[in-house]
Amino acid sequence: PNVKLVTSDNEEFVVDFRIAKMSVTVSRLMEAMNMSETDDASLLSNSIPLPNVTKAVMARVIEWCEKHKNDEPKEEKENDKRGRTTHVVSDWDKEFLKNDEFGRLCQLMGAANYLEIKGLFNDISQTIANMIHGKKSDEIAEMFNIHCDLTEAEKKEIRKKTAWCED
Amino acid sequence: MPPLPKSRRSRTRPIPLKSEEPRKRKPRLSADEIPVLPDDILRIIFKHLSSVDRCPLAIVSKRIRSLDLEIGNRSIDAVDVVLGEQIDRINAFVDVKTDREISFKSTPNVEFTRCYDHIQLFFKNASVADLDIWAERRSDERSAKSLTSVFQSLLVDDVRIYMSDKSDFSEFLHWILTSNNLVPKKISLSFKSPERQNFTRLRNTLRNIQQLEAFNVDYLVTMRGKDKDECREFPRRTPYKSPLEKAICDGSTMVHLARNCDAVSLGLVDCTGQHLLEAFQVICESPLISKELKVHTIESVVEELFTLAANTNGLRIFGLPDRGITDFEQSRRTTLDVDVDKKGGVYWSVYIYKLDSIKQNEPGQST
């Protein structure tokens, strides 16, 4: 059975029921609209509106879900020994996200968050963390498109107080 | 080779051939199009980062800085605290390998939290492998309080406190032992000239110890030089004026520690032979497969111990106390060795131990 998903720019995606179920948000909406796997009429007559996701991003999300639809549900380790959250990004996922620039990763992450697709969300957050690795503060600011609202004096004070240098 | 200036570098880049297929690339998003990630998502991302990678976040922007501090949970290899005559210092070695170190300085009469508005957040839920505290000055109650508020929710494996003759750290130790968050696996106390210590308070504090892998007391000749053997006071060649005046632990504290810690070393102990026998029995009866207690004492206590042992059923005594080494056993696995220091020391060392002896249990042997 197939489910129709409609993006913010009015693009309709027809996906397998199993794929639609990978999103907790979509699952909930289907339940609310009394759509069930065994009731074809309910699936045909309804479509799920997703006003927070654009066509381009939705295509990427579906591509990821297609690949992972047969995955066993896995338990994420909350924290490693040293209090850090760790998530292993599989080779396929690395390749999948490799060419996305930061802004697009953020869009995709926003969609994964809104759709509640945990695996994709974890993949992207780990990928972004890997991008931050080894970067200096101004490089991080540029990456996130953040304007630094700390004055030079404040920065100097923080550096002095915490006595580390950036290089 | 020094890096080329930018202009030259760009000229040396190979020019793509016209026939080459242009790389498939989506149009770059302009800065305005980069979505602003909400705080909760940023928190999740930052939690993936190591403490070293999080260092630059402090000066990216006010929002990023406060998020980074809010997360806490830093992992820190080691924290050194020095409470000196002139200056107080906390050094956090975020990463020993790369020498990444963050330090906080203050003067003895000003609390750290008053100098650094973010210091509590910096150490919030941080996990620290080693916490070393060097207390070099008199009257450390204020410093103990100051540190207590800084390290409210620290997770520490190994705590070592070095105390000069002027410092009294029983307050801080009491807090360490009673704090719910800070549950160290090992505690070491090193004293230089411990006669200034308030022993009654310290012993009361030590009797609060519930469960530790190791508890260690050292007597140091010099404060700095923790890795050098020669700076330790034991074996001592001359006795103290009153032989047990510098004993930090008394007999009942020793028995309590023997019961609650897996490995205990206490230096000089003001105890009786009866206390030592009791400690020996505690170790015998412990369900643990390895456990030990090391103390120093005086000859009359050793004599009393052997008289008592001779009159106790089930004990076997080897050798004579005045010949140097005497062992006796109750169970097959626990031993008590008494030894007058061969290096010319005047105190006697008592070593009670139970070692993992699974290999010795041959099949068919009755238990």
Side-chain angles (χ1 to χ4, degrees):
Chain A
N2 288 333
V3 180
K4 286 180 276 184
L5 307 174
V6 180
T7 59
S8 62
D9 36 4
N10 274 325
E11 185 77 19
E12 191 177 272
F13 286 82
V14 181
V15 298
D16 187 78
F17 188 84
R18 251 198 311 171
I19 287 185
K21 284 286 268 187
M22 287 169 81
S23 154
V24 177
T25 308
V26 172
S27 290
R28 268 198 224 116
L29 287 168
M30 288 198 295
E31 223 170 274
M33 293 160 88
N34 291 322
M35 296 161 73
S36 86
E37 195 175 3
T38 49
D39 181 2
D40 275 350
S42 74
L43 296 178
L44 277 171
S45 58
N46 287 307
S47 57
I48 308 282
L50 299 168
N52 288 0
V53 189
T54 62
K55 169 187 160 187
V57 175
M58 194 65 210
R60 300 274 293 149
V61 172
I62 291 170
E63 191 185 346
W64 186 91
C65 289
E66 277 287 352
K67 174 69 191 172
H68 290 274
K69 63 184 173 188
N70 296 323
D71 286 4
E72 294 280 324
K74 63 174 174 183
E75 253 180 62
E76 282 291 324
K77 275 184 201 160
E78 255 308 294
N79 282 315
D80 69 359
K81 228 180 174 179
R82 320 214 57 188
R84 226 193 317 167
T85 323
T86 44
H87 171 79
V88 180
V89 183
S90 73
D91 288 345
W92 187 91
D93 293 330
K94 271 185 203 153
E95 197 59 33
F96 175 73
L97 298 170
K98 181 174 89 174
N99 290 323
D100 281 300
E101 55 165 304
F102 179 75
R104 297 207 183 277
L105 278 182
C106 290
Q107 290 177 340
L108 200 53
M109 194 174 182
N113 186 40
Y114 165 70
L115 294 168
E116 289 189 54
I117 304 172
K118 211 178 170 191
L120 178 60
F121 182 85
N122 288 340
D123 274 352
I124 303 168
S125 66
Q126 184 65 59
T127 305
I128 293 179
N130 294 348
M131 287 165 89
I132 297 173
H133 172 75
K135 286 208 166 46
K136 294 181 191 171
S137 64
D138 50 347
E139 293 167 327
I140 296 170
E142 194 191 346
M143 188 172 122
F144 279 85
N145 188 30
I146 290 169
H147 165 71
C148 183
D149 50 2
L150 291 156
T151 61
E152 277 309 312
E154 282 171 322
K155 280 192 193 177
K156 204 177 157 192
E157 184 65 16
I158 294 169
R159 281 208 191 91
K160 202 178 103 192
K161 275 187 171 180
T162 45
W164 50 263
C165 59
E166 285 199 83
D167 298 304
Chain B
M1 197 180 84
L4 296 166
K6 263 192 181 168
S7 54
R8 278 184 60 196
R9 225 190 302 177
S10 59
R11 245 181 276 152
T12 55
R13 205 178 281 166
I15 303 154
L17 295 171
K18 278 193 177 163
S19 59
E20 219 176 277
E21 280 244 350
R23 260 186 85 195
K24 242 185 164 180
R25 201 177 176 122
K26 291 160 204 151
R28 224 181 143 74
L29 289 180
S30 71
D32 304 340
E33 287 175 286
I34 298 177
V36 177
L37 293 175
D39 289 359
D40 49 354
I41 291 189
L42 283 177
R43 263 188 226 114
I44 292 167
I45 295 172
F46 294 161
K47 275 186 188 171
H48 290 297
L49 295 173
S50 71
S51 298
V52 174
D53 282 332
R54 276 170 58 187
C55 284
L57 298 179
I59 50 170
V60 171
S61 77
K62 285 178 183 165
R63 173 170 164 248
I64 300 289
R65 175 174 166 72
S66 70
L67 281 174
D68 174 49
L69 287 170
E70 227 173 83
I71 299 168
N73 278 324
R74 257 166 255 272
S75 75
I76 302 170
D77 286 349
V79 175
D80 277 4
V81 179
V82 177
L83 304 167
E85 299 280 0
Q86 311 293 330
I87 198 159
D88 284 355
R89 207 176 61 231
I90 299 179
N91 276 5
F93 297 89
V94 175
D95 188 74
V96 170
K97 275 186 228 150
T98 58
D99 245 356
R100 188 70 88 140
E101 176 188 336
I102 295 176
S103 53
F104 303 92
K105 287 181 190 128
S106 162
T107 46
N109 48 0
V110 182
E111 287 175 22
F112 279 105
T113 42
R114 280 177 56 204
C115 298
Y116 303 94
D117 43 4
H118 63 289
I119 190 166
Q120 281 167 316
L121 288 170
F122 182 85
F123 287 107
K124 177 179 153 191
N125 295 338
S127 57
V128 177
D130 292 319
L131 171 64
D132 286 11
I133 298 168
W134 303 80
E136 292 171 351
R137 62 163 185 270
R138 186 184 294 274
S139 174
D140 273 305
E141 201 162 319
R142 182 198 284 269
S143 338
K145 278 192 184 139
S146 172
L147 290 183
T148 309
S149 62
V150 171
F151 298 140
Q152 277 178 22
S153 54
L154 207 61
L155 299 162
V156 189
D157 284 349
D158 203 342
V159 179
R160 274 169 288 179
I161 303 178
Y162 298 83
M163 279 171 271
S164 77
D165 51 351
K166 292 171 186 167
S167 51
D168 172 13
F169 243 59
S170 49
E171 177 102 5
F172 186 68
L173 194 62
H174 179 79
W175 172 75
I176 286 178
L177 297 171
T178 50
S179 156
N180 286 331
N181 298 309
L182 200 143
V183 192
K185 292 182 187 139
K186 296 174 187 170
I187 295 181
S188 300
L189 301 179
S190 297
F191 295 89
K192 189 192 162 202
S193 307
E195 75 265 39
R196 301 276 182 105
Q197 294 295 323
N198 179 344
F199 285 166
T200 318
R201 202 157 81 152
L202 189 66
R203 286 170 188 174
N204 281 338
T205 304
L206 296 182
R207 283 197 285 267
N208 273 316
I209 287 181
Q210 289 306 319
Q211 186 66 54
L212 278 182
E213 276 175 26
F215 181 77
N216 216 37
V217 175
D218 266 326
Y219 291 60
L220 300 181
V221 176
T222 48
M223 273 281 277
R224 297 278 174 165
K226 50 180 172 171
D227 300 323
K228 291 178 194 160
D229 278 343
E230 63 263 33
C231 73
R232 299 187 195 287
E233 282 215 19
F234 283 90
R236 261 186 84 84
R237 281 167 208 279
T238 51
Y240 295 115
K241 268 186 199 164
S242 154
L244 289 170
E245 66 179 343
K246 299 201 180 184
I248 285 158
C249 280
D250 58 3
S252 59
T253 310
M254 173 186 77
V255 174
H256 173 87
L257 291 169
R259 191 170 277 128
N260 289 281
C261 309
D262 305 348
V264 188
S265 171
L266 295 177
L268 199 54
V269 174
D270 184 1
C271 66
T272 62
Q274 182 64 48
H275 284 128
L276 284 172
L277 200 60
E278 203 183 320
F280 175 75
Q281 270 149 359
V282 162
I283 292 177
C284 285
E285 285 155 17
S286 158
L288 293 177
I289 51 170
S290 76
K291 199 168 166 74
E292 63 174 43
L293 170 71
K294 282 180 193 168
V295 296
H296 283 92
T297 189
I298 49 174
E299 191 171 5
S300 61
V301 173
V302 173
E303 277 166 11
E304 188 201 342
L305 168 70
F306 281 93
T307 315
L308 283 167
N311 296 318
T312 308
N313 285 337
L315 297 183
R316 289 163 67 194
I317 299 171
F318 303 90
L320 288 165
D322 56 357
R323 293 250 177 102
I325 304 167
T326 308
D327 299 350
F328 65 90
E329 293 186 309
Q330 187 186 47
S331 76
R332 276 194 188 83
R333 292 198 279 135
T334 307
T335 308
L336 187 152
D337 282 348
V338 176
D339 191 1
V340 65
D341 284 323
K342 288 194 189 79
K343 291 172 192 165
V346 289
Y347 288 98
W348 290 65
S349 70
V350 179
Y351 179 31
I352 306 173
Y353 60 96
K354 179 167 166 178
L355 297 171
D356 180 6
S357 56
I358 292 164
K359 280 177 203 159
Q360 289 170 17
N361 287 340
E362 286 158 26
Q365 200 178 351
S366 63
T367 47

